[in-house]
Amino acid sequence: VWVSDDPRYPRTDVYGSLAELQRDFGVEVTDLHRPYVDDLTRPNPDDPTGASTMRRVPEVLDCWFESGSMPFAQVHYPFENAEWFENHYPGDFIVEYIGQTRGWFYTMHVLATALFDRPAFSACVSHGILLGDDSRKMSKSLRNYPDVREVFDRDGADAMRWFLMSSPILRGGNLVVTEPGIRESVRQVMIPLWNSWYFFALYANAAGREDGAGHDARWRADSSHVMDRYILAKLRAYVEESTRHHDALDLAGACDAMERFLDVLTNWYIRRSRERFWAADGVVDGDAFDTLFT
């Protein structure tokens, strides 16, 4: 916004594009930030004396309005991509931490209502705050968090992902990030999941070794063995529960469902079915292998 510096010749100019600025000021504009944009001045066209000057007002817009403009500004709408924007707005969901209820979430809705008379997004995932091991808000300046590269090298990226996704932070609570906490997700989820696969691969490759190269397992769900029926029923219930949680954007709930199923798979099904995977007298229990493969 540019105004006349002489109240005797009032004038206000509001610009909506770089092209408009370049048209009126006669120079190429490449940076809209201060102090560079303040250098753009011109004589007041409404002043016949030519003595007054159009100068930019000192105020700047709250940066949240810039962030709130993201849905349309990122595709340069309305100057470009109008058809794409109309078919992709409002967004399916957005995600940010809980403090954005009065920041980004709010200004997105303000601008969407003012400009388009509709909401800015269909659903919102709001998480809590990550805290360092000193219980203060995690901060680059404080360095109060485990070295991410060391965690990835030692525990793996999936361990970090699981630690975050399954935590209270995705239900709006706060989370203290500690290395023991990340390693616990390895112990409770990553290792049991890997052990289940390793158990299957080890015995499937060894089964019937005298006759060939192991048991060639296939997807099937028609075994009549009570333990196979049990785990397949649990699997079906898990799929339905996990789908329901994902459809509701409830990742923490989906993680809870997976942990419960992993417990059933490892501590009930596999542990109580081990003898079926040890081929007795060269006879392979195909139902057990195929069910575990499935």
Side-chain angles (χ1 to χ4, degrees):
V1 178
W2 272 252
V3 297
S4 170
D5 62 4
D6 188 339
R8 292 177 300 170
Y9 302 100
R11 179 184 172 95
T12 301
D13 292 331
V14 180
Y15 293 94
S17 69
L18 291 174
E20 292 177 8
L21 285 169
Q22 291 170 175
R23 177 200 65 204
D24 281 6
F25 292 94
V27 295
E28 183 181 7
V29 179
T30 58
D31 196 330
L32 289 173
H33 294 91
R34 301 188 71 182
Y36 314 106
V37 71
D38 293 332
D39 293 336
L40 296 178
T41 60
R42 69 177 183 130
N44 179 0
D46 293 342
D47 179 2
T49 69
S52 62
T53 301
M54 301 298 296
R55 302 184 187 278
R56 198 191 69 80
V57 298
E59 295 80 15
V60 294
L61 274 175
D62 188 318
C63 66
W64 289 118
F65 281 92
E66 194 173 78
S67 301
S69 304
M70 178 276 298
F72 45 92
Q74 66 174 341
V75 293
H76 205 214
Y77 177 89
F79 305 102
E80 297 178 81
N81 304 305
E83 182 178 355
W84 183 94
F85 176 76
E86 292 298 336
N87 291 314
H88 290 80
Y89 190 77
D92 292 328
F93 76 94
I94 61 170
V95 56
E96 247 293 354
Y97 95 114
I98 200 166
Q100 297 292 11
T101 51
R102 63 184 184 275
W104 190 43
F105 300 159
Y106 172 71
T107 52
M108 286 179 75
H109 272 323
V110 167
L111 291 170
T113 303
L115 296 172
F116 308 109
D117 196 26
R118 48 181 159 165
F121 44 86
S122 301
C124 174
V125 178
S126 186
H127 59 80
I129 301 173
L130 285 173
L131 305 176
D133 53 16
D134 57 358
S135 296
R136 290 191 292 176
K137 187 175 180 180
M138 193 177 284
S139 165
K140 290 179 182 177
S141 60
L142 295 174
R143 296 287 296 175
N144 57 342
Y145 52 86
D147 186 282
V148 176
R149 297 183 188 278
E150 290 182 8
V151 171
F152 286 177
D153 291 341
R154 184 186 62 242
D155 304 316
D158 284 335
M160 173 70 87
R161 289 190 183 99
W162 185 268
F163 172 72
L164 294 173
M165 288 196 305
S166 62
S167 72
I169 198 170
L170 284 188
R171 293 190 171 102
N174 296 339
L175 175 67
V176 176
V177 178
T178 64
E179 294 187 61
I182 297 170
R183 285 197 290 272
E184 187 67 8
S185 68
V186 175
R187 187 186 69 82
Q188 291 185 346
V189 177
M190 299 300 139
I191 291 177
L193 187 59
W194 167 254
N195 284 346
S196 299
W197 161 253
Y198 184 77
F199 177 87
F200 164 78
L202 177 67
Y203 287 103
N205 286 328
R209 184 60 75 174
E210 297 176 1
D211 303 320
H215 177 73
D216 187 14
R218 59 191 177 92
W219 190 98
R220 49 184 282 252
D222 57 357
S223 170
S224 60
H225 193 286
V226 64
M227 290 300 293
D228 296 342
R229 304 310 306 159
Y230 167 77
I231 193 61
L232 289 170
K234 288 292 187 180
L235 173 64
R236 180 62 191 174
Y238 162 63
V239 169
E240 291 178 354
E241 183 180 4
S242 181
T243 300
R244 187 169 65 252
H245 285 302
H246 277 98
D247 287 346
L249 303 177
D250 177 14
L251 292 183
C255 289
D256 289 344
M258 183 175 176
E259 282 201 62
R260 288 192 297 271
F261 178 72
L262 272 179
D263 178 61
V264 169
L265 178 68
T266 59
N267 293 328
W268 290 89
Y269 179 71
I270 293 178
R271 182 170 293 181
R272 284 155 180 78
S273 302
R274 283 177 177 171
E275 292 81 0
R276 299 174 62 205
F277 294 92
W278 301 331
D281 301 324
V283 178
V284 176
D285 188 340
D287 287 351
F289 281 108
D290 293 349
T291 299
L292 184 52
F293 173 79
T294 299

